[in-house]
Amino acid sequence: MNPYRIALYYAPETDDTLHQRASAWLGRDAASGAEIPQPAIAAVDIAEVTADARGYGFHATLKPPFRVAGDLQAALQAAQDFAARTAPFTLPPLQITDLDGFLALRESAPCPALQALADSAVTALDAHRAPATEAEIARRKPEKLSLRQREYLAAWGYPYVFAEWRFHMTLTRRLTPAEKAIILPAVTEALGDAPAIARTVSDICVFVQAAPGAPFTILERLTLRG
């Protein structure tokens, strides 16, 4: 049976300390699907703060989640073909950043190869994307988007692609200043030095969502061989 949605994400290898520590922070391992005890933080419900990020799994979006039009195997083959023609590259050290009120890991220096990877991922699989429904478009609140974001939403089913895309690995929901004052040092301690270690992007992952509202898990890890 086809899953409800698939997506193409970057996610560190499961033996990478960053995967292990970030998964523990979020409370779930997207590779195994296992729930993991989260650190206790005084005065904050860490499970609630990380609920959305936990559902998607620790990742950075390349091709946003979409419903598959037609055959799932054809979409997976397109992802494999894309990985086969894409070269590995070095990811700059990551750092915890306030991204419009969310805490997320972002690259510490410009990385053109990263932008190129995301841009190419959007186009490589789009022939297998079912068109967005009116309800899906409405959930993006197009009336609040810029003209370019609305154009991307209409053309690609998602407003934050190409020039609007920003690499990020989400760690929390949007926080109040008081929450950030508590959570920022907590997540900094939880991740330790793992984000700052330079690593090679040598594979990408197909994530799947079995049903609406279900958590995303890793279906396939595809080696970059270009």
Side-chain angles (χ1 to χ4, degrees), residues 87-105:
F89 60 91
T90 299
L91 183 67
L94 303 179
Q95 57 191 13
I96 300 172
T97 304
D98 184 328
L99 183 63
D100 301 329
F102 297 82
L103 294 183
L105 290 177

Side-chain angles (χ1 to χ4, degrees), residues 84-133:
R85 62 178 182 266
T86 301
F89 60 91
T90 299
L91 183 67
L94 303 179
Q95 57 191 13
I96 300 172
T97 304
D98 184 328
L99 183 63
D100 301 329
F102 297 82
L103 294 183
L105 290 177
R106 301 203 66 212
E107 70 274 41
S108 59
C111 183
L114 193 57
Q115 181 75 53
L117 176 67
D119 291 351
S120 298
V122 170
T123 59
L125 297 185
D126 206 62
H128 303 277
R129 176 180 62 85
T133 65

Side-chain angles (χ1 to χ4, degrees), residues 109-187:
C111 183
L114 193 57
Q115 181 75 53
L117 176 67
D119 291 351
S120 298
V122 170
T123 59
L125 297 185
D126 206 62
H128 303 277
R129 176 180 62 85
T133 65
E134 290 185 5
E136 289 170 337
I137 291 175
R139 280 198 293 273
R140 296 293 172 191
K141 299 180 179 179
E143 69 279 3
K144 296 184 177 181
L145 299 176
S146 68
L147 175 59
R148 182 166 64 186
Q149 289 168 348
R150 291 197 299 273
E151 290 173 344
Y152 285 162
L153 178 61
W156 305 99
Y158 194 72
Y160 306 112
V161 294
F162 303 120
E164 296 292 334
W165 179 80
R166 290 183 288 180
F167 174 89
H168 64 283
M169 309 186 81
T170 305
L171 299 168
T172 70
R173 61 158 168 74
R174 184 172 280 115
L175 304 173
T176 66
E179 288 173 329
K180 180 183 173 183
I182 297 171
I183 294 172
L184 179 56
V187 69

Side-chain angles (χ1 to χ4, degrees), residues 9-14 19 58-60 169 203-205 207 218 221:
Y9 291 160
Y10 164 69
E13 294 275 3
T14 54
H19 166 83
F58 183 60
H59 77 283
M169 309 186 81
D203 55 43
I204 54 179
C205 296
F207 276 57
I218 296 176
R221 190 174 286 273

